[in-house]
Amino acid sequence: GEAVPPAQRSSWASFLKSIASVSGDLSSMTCPPFILSPVSLTEFPAYWCEHPELFSAIADQTTEEQRTLAVVKWFISTLKGQYTSRNESMGSEKKPLNPVLGELFYGKWPDLNGRGETQLLVEQVSHHPPITAYAIENKSKGVKLIGHNAQKTSFSGGSIIVKQIGHATLTVQLPSGGVAEYLITLPRLRIDGLWYGAPYIELSESSWIISKHYVCSVEYKGKGYFSGKTHSFKATLNPAPGLGGSLGSHVIEGTWHTTSKFTSGPKSGLEFHNVTGPKEEVTAIGGQTSGEMGDFETRQLWKLVAKGIREGDFDMASREKSKIENDQRQRRKDELAAGTKWPLKHFVHVDSDPTYEQLGKLGKISPSTEDMYVFKENWPPA
Ligand code: 0T9
């Protein structure tokens, strides 16, 4: 392909050959250097809050209908960062650093214009398969997102198909004293452009946002489908079964990386979301404070590997990466010998999630149950 540096063409070709045969987990495969990203997957949950004001606005709504629309608007507005930002910052999708067990990333978005501070906490809760758990919370507004994600990959028609495993739950503390809960599931990804060495993501199939009042399905299509445009979506919001009455239905259509509008319902014709403006990067915290997070803070841990990748010193990058991997292997060996297990810091694994099961029934969600990582609430000391 055109984007592949001449010296790396044969290694890219053999990488492509091997992904066709390896299925399930691509995270630990060796790639040619041009496709490596210096950023670990533990930093990805920050994409959920690139628009902190949309996250906090969820708390400011006064009706179920408005609150649901605010949740959907925040969700759709995160997709641009989640799925196109590596193309924008690095020219194509790249292979992220594969987090080690116990890797941590903490961050925050400051209080501005009364929206309150939002905190981010991420922990790598499994290495094989890779599973990342996160908590994002705006305490002053009472809005909290807890979730985890993993991927199952396969190869089909020249593309990598990524099935996302895991889900998130958004909770909102209501002035009445109650709590509104929203189950959020994740779309399927297709990674195209591999042949040319310029991978990019398109979303497909559907994901859901479900509360006890509303069921919202989001359908994703790429070029050549209902709008003919890349990154198209159609969100359909309907009152949960048996809850017609005062709750209205809405359909929203557009492209998730730009704008969308209501195409059916009482707001038909009005703009829904618009992410053509600036986004807000997270401020990483703890990278400089050793001790509490120590060497497991992601930017600390990967510092020299990332430097090597950024500066084109791939010998250093791979040497430093091997050091990290050897250290991990030794830790697992020691734990096995001692009959101990690496303790998770912020999460507890449970086999099923009642919120997922109950709300999931209202949509066409499979599987019917999923495990989850319960957040222990021991927020890092300031
Ligand atoms: C959760 C997101 C996820 C993580 C990444 C598939 C992928 C790892 C998972 C799903 C976030 O909320 C959203 C965005 C991008 C996803 C990554 C894209 C990607 O390519 C990697 C996989 C593991 C690879 O690195 C495949 C090999 C590579 C050469 C293709 C660029």
Side-chain angles (χ1 to χ4, degrees):
E2 286 306 306
V4 186
Q8 296 176 40
R9 283 195 186 143
S10 68
S11 111
W12 182 241
S14 55
F15 171 74
L16 291 181
K17 243 178 252 157
S18 55
I19 50 176
S21 56
V22 173
S23 76
D25 179 9
L26 297 179
S27 56
S28 49
M29 285 185 63
T30 311
C31 278
F34 83 93
I35 207 73
L36 300 177
S37 155
V39 179
S40 161
L41 267 185
T42 54
E43 296 211 24
F44 283 41
Y47 293 128
W48 287 112
C49 207
E50 281 187 339
H51 298 277
E53 73 292 348
L54 295 181
F55 191 65
S56 71
I58 294 167
D60 300 333
Q61 312 303 316
T62 51
T63 67
E64 273 312 326
E65 187 166 352
Q66 286 168 349
R67 194 158 36 244
T68 305
L69 285 168
V71 172
V72 177
K73 182 172 171 175
W74 154 77
F75 173 83
I76 297 293
S77 302
T78 72
L79 300 176
K80 181 184 182 187
Q82 307 259 20
Y83 303 112
T84 70
S85 60
R86 277 81 51 199
N87 291 67
E88 280 176 18
S89 62
M90 301 184 280
S92 81
E93 191 61 52
K94 302 257 168 166
K95 188 174 190 294
L97 298 171
N98 187 21
V100 305
L101 180 60
E103 189 172 319
L104 298 164
F105 183 53
Y106 298 148
K108 66 176 178 198
W109 294 266
D111 179 12
L112 276 180
N113 308 318
R115 71 182 186 196
E117 180 181 277
T118 305
Q119 296 170 301
L120 165 74
L121 177 155
V122 185
E123 180 173 0
Q124 188 70 12
V125 292
S126 168
H127 176 68
H128 202 85
I131 306 175
T132 310
Y134 53 89
I136 298 175
E137 184 169 16
N138 182 326
K139 284 191 171 142
S140 64
K141 293 280 187 169
V143 185
K144 182 159 77 175
L145 180 77
I146 310 284
H148 71 279
N149 52 264
Q151 300 86 37
K152 242 200 168 79
T153 51
S154 56
F155 193 72
S156 165
S159 307
I160 298 173
I161 310 294
V162 182
K163 183 177 183 228
Q164 295 204 69
I165 314 214
H167 61 277
T169 306
L170 181 92
T171 53
V172 189
Q173 225 66 52
L174 303 176
S176 66
V179 178
E181 278 189 308
Y182 300 82
L183 169 67
I184 295 168
T185 68
L186 308 162
R188 188 164 289 210
L189 280 60
R190 210 182 51 238
I191 305 175
D192 288 327
L194 289 168
W195 180 250
Y196 304 99
Y200 63 92
I201 289 174
E202 186 55 277
L203 300 180
S204 66
E205 306 201 12
S206 45
S207 72
W208 299 83
I209 299 172
I210 305 178
S211 68
K212 50 175 210 231
H213 293 98
Y214 268 99
V215 178
C216 171
S217 67
V218 186
E219 273 177 83
Y220 304 91
K221 296 271 154 59
K223 230 186 172 77
Y225 290 85
F226 46 58
S227 85
K229 289 185 185 148
T230 60
H231 305 336
S232 295
F233 77 96
K234 177 177 178 180
T236 308
L237 285 83
N238 282 123
L243 288 183
S246 61
L247 301 177
S249 292
H250 303 271
V251 178
I252 297 145
E253 291 172 87
T255 55
W256 45 260
H257 66 309
T258 62
T259 62
S260 64
K261 60 184 188 193
F262 289 91
T263 55
S264 166
K267 296 180 182 238
S268 203
L270 297 178
E271 181 175 88
F272 179 65
H273 97 299
N274 184 339
V275 285
T276 56
K279 55 172 186 172
E280 270 179 61
E281 304 263 304
V282 68
T283 304
I285 46 178
Q288 51 292 61
T289 56
S290 52
E292 173 64 13
M293 297 170 74
D295 297 336
F296 279 85
E297 194 279 329
T298 185
R299 293 185 183 178
Q300 187 61 40
L301 176 78
W302 293 106
K303 199 166 163 174
L304 296 175
V305 177
K307 186 172 192 279
I309 293 172
R310 286 205 177 91
E311 295 173 1
D313 186 347
F314 299 111
D315 287 341
M316 172 169 82
S318 83
R319 212 167 43 239
E320 295 299 327
K321 184 165 168 277
S322 298
K323 277 192 204 161
I324 294 170
E325 288 167 351
N326 292 338
D327 174 65
Q328 287 292 309
R329 268 191 285 274
Q330 190 58 49
R331 282 172 191 271
R332 299 295 89 82
K333 254 192 214 157
D334 294 347
E335 286 162 7
L336 201 64
T340 57
K341 254 178 91 182
W342 177 267
L344 297 184
K345 212 174 162 99
H346 298 291
F347 296 90
V348 179
H349 180 252
V350 294
D351 286 328
S352 68
D353 178 1
T355 304
Y356 177 96
E357 288 167 14
Q358 282 152 27
L359 294 176
K361 275 189 209 138
L362 304 175
K364 295 192 196 82
I365 290 187
S366 75
S368 57
T369 187
E370 252 194 2
D371 63 348
M372 79 168 290
Y373 290 84
V374 179
F375 182 44
K376 289 197 283 189
E377 307 277 348
N378 50 344
W379 209 264

